[in-house]
Amino acid sequence: MRIGFIGSGAMVAAIARGGVAAGMNASDFLFTDAHGVHAPALAAELGASVASSNGSLAHQVDILVLGVKPHVQSAVIKMIAHIVRERPEMCVVSLAAGRTVESIAKDFGAAVPIIRVMPNVNAQIGRSMSAICSLGASEEQVAAVEALMNKVGRSIRIEEKDFPAFQALAGCSPAWVFQIIEALARAGVKHGLTKEVSVAIAAQALAGSADLVLEASEQGTVPSELIDRVCSPGGTTIAGLLAAEAQGMSTCLISAVEAAIARDAEISTRTR
């Protein structure tokens, strides 16, 4: 199965590198990019190939991944739409935020198999959380794309109406977590640790806590139960937790999600 990528930016590179690292054949990957810079470099790195044009790529692949920015996706689609319409066995994968499967189908001017994927920045280290939905794609096609995304983390199939919430929880939250780590590290510096040591301590603590939540969830344990386990009566953890809640920690994070969802709605309106 050949996979073609139109656009060869950071997210496409992360997915392709993850696929090759997980054992996929680099010769099955084909790349293009608008300026002829990133695609050749990525192909050379992986031992893959570069297509002479987007149209040439569309003629050759079984899965066509649109890795371009949302604001240019429509124009790119219109250049290859006639080729895609002639190849109903090929599915199109969109990585663009804010572009619904219906809007993508409208650009193609016909019913073509479309799969929308939303990864996050952690794909670059093989720890992405990706959402998948589809329109007109077969189970086999969706499963193939799901397998590809699982090479760079975990994926989940959800309804497209839930993508804005997913984007906030998975796409935006890494930046918020980076800020949390930065704030904790500053507190460490305040109390005598170096910044480097403080960042390492905070980052590892959060990474381990996330892994523990995922492992515990498999046993039906929810985060609130884990909180109770580490908050000893009259101890330091509960004192810190209550102080954080008094300053609005939970309210702040919920507000961040709400703001991200609202902004997604604004962007989606402009990119339809």
Side-chain angles (χ1 to χ4, degrees), residues 9 13 45 79 144 148 254 262 264:
E45 173 193 334
M79 290 191 303
L148 174 64
I254 292 170
D264 180 84

Side-chain angles (χ1 to χ4, degrees), residues 4 14 48 56 58 60 71 104 109 122-123 134 144 156 160 164-165 184 210 220 267 272:
S56 174
Q60 299 180 60
H71 69 279
I104 296 167
N122 297 325
S134 63
I156 183 171
E160 189 170 45
L184 290 172
I267 295 172
R272 281 173 186 161

